[in-house]
Every structure is written in C-alpha cells, then in structure tokens.
Amino acid sequence: ILQLYVPLNWFGTYYRAIQKNFVDMENMFDLLKETCDVVDIPQAPLLCITQGSVEFRNVCFAYNPERPVLKNVSFSVPAGKTLALVGQSGSGKSTIIRLLFRFYNTDSGDIFIDNQNINSVTQASLRQAIGVVPQDTVLFNNTIGFNIRYGRVNASEAEVIDAAKNADIHERILNFPEKYETQVGERGLKLSGGEKQRVAIARTLLKAPEIVLLDEATSALDTKTERTIQSALNRACANRTTIIVAHRLSTIIHADEILVLHEGQVIERGRHEDLLGKDGVYASMWNQQNTKMTAEAPSSEESSP
Ligand code: ATP
C-alpha cells in the first residue's frame, strides 16, 4: 500500500542515491521488491532471533566479476556488542552492510544471524530484525508523524511521540507549523541533515530491532547537534548488536571490535587501544584525524564572532 504514496520522480532520485551510496535500505527494499535479484528459497522459514549475534564467514563478493570488492572477510559480533568498520573510501565498508541486509547474495562464504544462514530464511524476517540508521534518510512526502511511524506502522500516537522524544526531535516538531501533521519531504518542509538523522533514529527506536546498522554521517554537524545525536544513537543501540560504518574515529573508541578494511580485506582488527598500540594503519588514521582537528581548531575560533 505504501508504494502508492510514493511519487515516481522521487523513486528515480532515490534509486540513484541508493546506487551511489548506502542510503536508506529499509525503505528501498519496500520500493524495489520487484527489481531485486535476491529471492527467498521455496518454503523458507522465518529468521528465529534469539540473541542477535552476527557472523561473516569467509565472505567474498564482487559487483562485477572482474573486480573483487570483499576478499575473504570474517568476523563475528556477539549479541549486544558493537563492531566498527573503518577504512578509506571504497574499501568495502558499506558493501558489508548491504550484504548483511541481503541486498546482494555473497559470491562465496556465508553470513549468519543467530547461527542461521541469512540465505535460508525469508528476506522479510531478516529485515524485520535489522534497523538501519543511514547517512541520509529520504523522507516520504507525507507528515512527519507518518515518517516516524514508518518504523512500526501499528505504533500508537503515544509511542510515536515517545520515540521522537528519545530521538531528541519532539521539541523541534512541536515548533513545526502543524506539529506532527506537518508535511515534510520534497514537497513539504525540508529538514536538515541532523533532523533527518533523528527521524531515522526515532524509526529505529520504534522498530526496536535486535540488530542496528549505523552509517555515520560524513557531513559535519555542529558540535551541539552532534552530541545530541550521539546520545540519541546510544539509546537506539543500547543492548543491541550494532555495526557502525565509522568516519570519525572518536565515536568508536568504545567499540568492542574495530575492523580496518583496505581494498576489501581486513588488514587490522582489535579494540581502539590495541590498534593504537600496533602503530599501524589505524594508529596513523587516528593521528591524522587528531592532527587535522588540532590544525582546524585555531582557525575556527578566529572566525567565530
Ligand atoms: P565510502 O566510505 O566511500 O562509503 P565504502 O568503504 O563504504 O566507501 P563501498 O561502498 O563498500 O565502499 O564500495 C566498495 C567498492 O565497490 C568501491 O570500489 C565501489 O566503487 C564499488 N561499488 C560500490 N557499489 C557498487 C555498485 N552498486 N556497483 C558497482 N560497484 C560498486
């Protein structure tokens, strides 16, 4: 039914965005059901989620056969723990996320959730277990309330408001001209990047999935917004298995494991302190980010009024 609400021009924009980036996969799956190569096996059972553990076992994948993108990637994330993926642009971070969502099938190797191969269960049950907070959330041309409720369509009014409060966007919505009934999206009120991200967090809070995939925004938000978003995210990820595609290393110092990817291979892994101790690629990324921050700090002070 939702598909009827979606204008075709929006679909085009959206599809291009998806091809370019890891954007809004949850919505995308509803929209692209018909065009996806991935199919359920006959009589596939539902994914039976007990804990929410995730495992990649020797996963290889290529978008084009001549150019491998993931080469023998293995990791496991115990239930409730946090894994962070770092590495330069194009190293394969978002591809890992897309495969877990079964946007594509692996070429070889397997992915398990609670010891069930994700290829053997229905896609609907797989996606039900996973919440995504994308870099850039594309909003429906509908009310802000509808856009939040999309996380769980049968949620009550009170639950929608509660999720908005926990995502730190409730106060903002009360200032919109028609509050929760305000039209947003392409043809309505435009929301800022930080606001859209908070809508995605509110949806995830409503959905209450066992697994959360988080694609950290690359675009800079001001420090205060960033801090509020970080605490809203912490609420959305608390006690859930979380996989973060990280761009700012400062947000993952407490991750249970960090994987450093380079050209589709895991080249370093461990906790933040361990990796700093190794004095390898991660340590140099860390030093580089810190140097950059220190170098930028005085000029931003100078330019502030
Ligand atoms: P970024 O930090 O820039 O988001 P990433 O580490 O997430 O990068 P991926 O998006 O996983 O990288 O891309 C890995 C490689 O796969 C890149 O070389 C990219 O060009 C290629 N790639 C990504 N999506 C597609 C696609 N739909 N078709 C073909 N190649 C793709």
Side-chain angles (χ1 to χ4, degrees), residues 92-272:
K93 306 179 294 291
S94 308
T95 303
I96 289 181
I97 300 281
R98 293 186 195 115
L99 291 179
L100 180 57
F101 219 69
R102 212 177 157 210
F103 188 6
Y104 303 95
N105 288 323
T106 62
D107 294 330
S108 65
D110 292 296
I111 302 172
F112 300 90
I113 292 180
D114 282 345
N115 299 317
Q116 296 147 79
N117 192 317
I118 63 165
N119 290 353
S120 69
V121 298
T122 67
Q123 293 165 69
S125 65
L126 170 68
R127 295 198 297 276
Q128 192 53 43
I130 305 175
V132 184
V133 181
Q135 255 194 51
D136 192 13
T137 299
V138 183
L139 298 175
F140 294 104
N141 284 313
N142 206 306
T143 64
I144 181 74
F146 174 95
N147 272 282
I148 291 177
R149 187 176 273 112
Y150 189 73
R152 179 154 50 87
V153 284
N154 61 1
S156 70
E157 191 84 350
E159 287 171 320
V160 169
I161 292 175
D162 204 41
K165 282 183 180 162
N166 279 316
D168 259 311
I169 194 168
H170 175 70
E171 297 298 324
R172 186 80 194 86
I173 295 172
L174 293 186
N175 286 319
F176 289 172
E178 293 171 74
K179 304 189 167 61
Y180 278 82
E181 296 305 312
T182 308
Q183 291 285 324
V184 294
E186 291 276 301
R187 285 180 276 131
L189 188 75
K190 299 272 191 299
L191 302 193
S192 71
E195 288 165 351
K196 282 194 281 188
Q197 208 170 20
R198 276 176 280 181
V199 170
I201 295 171
R203 281 182 186 166
T204 305
L205 287 164
L206 271 186
K207 186 170 179 177
E210 282 78 5
I211 299 166
V212 177
L213 307 179
L214 168 60
D215 194 9
E216 200 177 73
T218 34
S219 52
L221 301 166
D222 62 83
T223 323
K224 186 167 167 281
T225 311
E226 194 151 319
R227 223 174 288 138
T228 17
I229 289 188
Q230 198 56 48
S231 56
L233 277 174
N234 291 344
R235 283 192 282 276
C237 300
N239 303 319
R240 304 206 160 99
T241 310
T242 306
I243 300 185
I244 310 177
V245 171
H247 297 287
R248 278 177 306 265
L249 304 184
S250 57
T251 59
I252 55 161
I253 42 186
H254 301 299
D256 298 291
E257 188 174 35
I258 298 169
L259 298 192
V260 184
L261 285 157
H262 179 70
E263 294 179 0
Q265 270 173 311
V266 179
I267 51 163
E268 283 178 19
R269 66 201 312 156
R271 294 183 63 98
H272 175 77

